[in-house]
Amino acid sequence: MEFIRLIGIGMILGVANVIPGVSGGTMAVVFNIYDRLISVITLNVKKIVSEWKFILPLAAGIVLGVILFSKVITFLFQNYPVQTNWFFIGIILGSIPMILKRMLVASRSNTGRKGIPLSVIVCCLVALGVMAVMTYLEVSDAGAPIQTELTPVLAVKLVVGLAFGTIAMIIPGISGSFLMLVVGIYSTVIAAISDLNIPLLVPAVIGGLIGLLGGAKLVRFLMARVPAQTYGAIMGLVLGSILVIFPGFGGFSTVATSLLAAAVGFVVSFFAGRERIE
């Protein structure tokens, strides 16, 4: 059962990471695998091998999600954008109780007292503010031509862009695809994946690995040193991601179906992400 659950979560992470504005890191937090995922993104082979029952189904799900469901999600966003975004909002809202509980546990461990320290609240508000600013950034690489030939400049751009994009994928609330749009390589990378353009994919993969390992190390460092403040920032980023994808409402029928989609998303994430926290 756990194997199937991880495949399902992996599919959602895979789909989330190819949609600008939706954060794969947020989805990992939502389904309560974020800490474990960060711990296995390492060069420690023994650690990776020991967690193969977690890594294998999750990785398989991510690949399946990208391959099988990207077109489905694209169809839904093109034809039912409001309802689809409300489904993701429901998923995010369903994770709030779990994140809050982790934040409270970390705060109590640090201070020995109940309640949330001011520093944690400040981290939450700052992160929320960052996401609010990103909400008003209308970014598109529509004017950036899709490049199919590798040049030294493009190689550097792909390595740097994918490194930052992958770090963003690890950080809850921030969309890696959004940052690739900012840099102007999103369409080029998506086209390279679709066409299996190996010369372009090599620097992209190198950048992705750099960002993956560097981002995971940064998060592990913060979790070890300032866990309560880190969870406060995660809370702010996750709440702020609602601002980024908020689609508004519409007519009565749209409101009804949107609320239904949000309710389904809430139930899915609330129960899928439930786990006993020591």
Side-chain angles (χ1 to χ4, degrees), residues 66-143:
V66 172
I67 294 174
L68 299 178
F69 289 95
S70 291
K71 289 185 178 179
V72 174
I73 291 295
T74 299
F75 171 82
L76 291 174
F77 269 109
Q78 288 175 344
N79 295 278
Y80 307 100
V82 176
Q83 293 90 337
T84 304
N85 274 308
W86 272 105
F87 173 75
F88 279 107
I89 289 174
I91 283 181
I92 292 168
L93 290 174
S95 71
I96 299 304
M98 179 270 296
I99 302 173
L100 180 60
K101 186 174 182 180
R102 285 184 174 272
M103 187 167 64
L104 288 170
V105 169
S107 298
R108 188 164 61 246
S109 297
N110 278 0
T111 64
R113 294 175 295 179
K114 292 183 178 181
I116 301 175
L118 179 61
S119 60
V120 176
I121 296 173
V122 170
C123 288
C124 180
L125 293 176
V126 169
L128 183 59
V130 169
M131 296 304 296
V133 171
M134 290 181 65
T135 302
Y136 293 98
L137 293 178
E138 294 185 4
V139 180
S140 172
D141 66 350

Side-chain angles (χ1 to χ4, degrees), residues 124-201:
C124 180
L125 293 176
V126 169
L128 183 59
V130 169
M131 296 304 296
V133 171
M134 290 181 65
T135 302
Y136 293 98
L137 293 178
E138 294 185 4
V139 180
S140 172
D141 66 350
I146 296 176
Q147 300 183 61
T148 58
E149 299 293 330
L150 184 65
T151 65
V153 173
L154 180 58
V156 172
K157 198 173 182 181
L158 286 171
V159 170
V160 175
L162 263 296
F164 281 104
T166 309
I167 290 173
M169 289 178 185
I170 293 174
I171 300 173
I174 301 178
S175 166
S177 298
F178 179 86
L179 285 190
M180 285 194 285
L181 284 173
V182 173
V183 179
I185 61 172
Y186 179 77
S187 296
T188 294
V189 171
I190 293 299
I193 294 172
S194 177
D195 300 334
L196 290 179
N197 189 329
I198 303 301
L200 293 186
L201 290 177

Side-chain angles (χ1 to χ4, degrees), residues 19 36 40 44 46 55 68 70 152 160 182 185-186 192 198 236 248 250 256 259 262 268:
I19 301 172
R36 191 175 179 186
V40 300
N44 187 332
K46 184 180 291 187
I55 297 171
L68 299 178
S70 291
V160 175
V182 173
I185 61 172
Y186 179 77
I198 303 301
L259 292 177
V268 168

